[in-house]
Amino acid sequence: AAMQSALEANLSELGTWTAPAGGYFFWVRLADPINTDDLVSPASRAGVGFQPGNFSSANGRHPNYLRLSFAAYGIADIETGIRRLRAVLIAR
């Protein structure tokens, strides 16, 4: 619920997602045609991480997707991470 809320508050105009029915990840599709591989380093420097869509795809055809884990993080960390991710996406 914390990840869903943070995404709604920070990324609703930048992408779409479906809350998972199970598991530990959100699969986010960014609205802009951007290769998320190019965002890994800037995100890391901003203190946030994700798996790029091509890495998480069996066929490597999802460059504008990213996978976000919520399993090992508290609410404050999730909220901070999504705010940092938003800043990275806007700055690109």
Side-chain angles (χ1 to χ4, degrees):
M3 179 75 75
Q4 176 69 26
S5 179
L7 288 169
E8 288 172 357
N10 293 281
L11 298 186
S12 59
E13 77 279 4
L14 301 173
T16 59
W17 59 88
T18 302
Y24 305 106
F25 304 99
F26 272 76
W27 187 237
V28 178
R29 180 181 179 267
L30 298 176
D32 289 338
I34 182 170
N35 188 336
T36 56
D37 292 336
D38 298 336
L39 297 177
V40 172
S41 290
S44 180
R45 287 191 300 273
V48 65
F50 62 87
Q51 288 295 325
N54 287 333
F55 179 82
S56 301
S57 168
N59 61 13
R61 295 187 187 157
H62 298 296
N64 64 317
Y65 285 75
L66 52 89
R67 189 174 80 163
L68 300 171
S69 174
F70 57 85
Y73 304 97
I75 293 170
D77 290 332
I78 289 171
E79 291 170 347
T80 298
I82 297 301
R83 281 193 306 271
R84 290 176 180 174
L85 179 60
R86 175 186 173 78
V88 169
L89 292 171
I90 290 173
R92 63 168 177 80

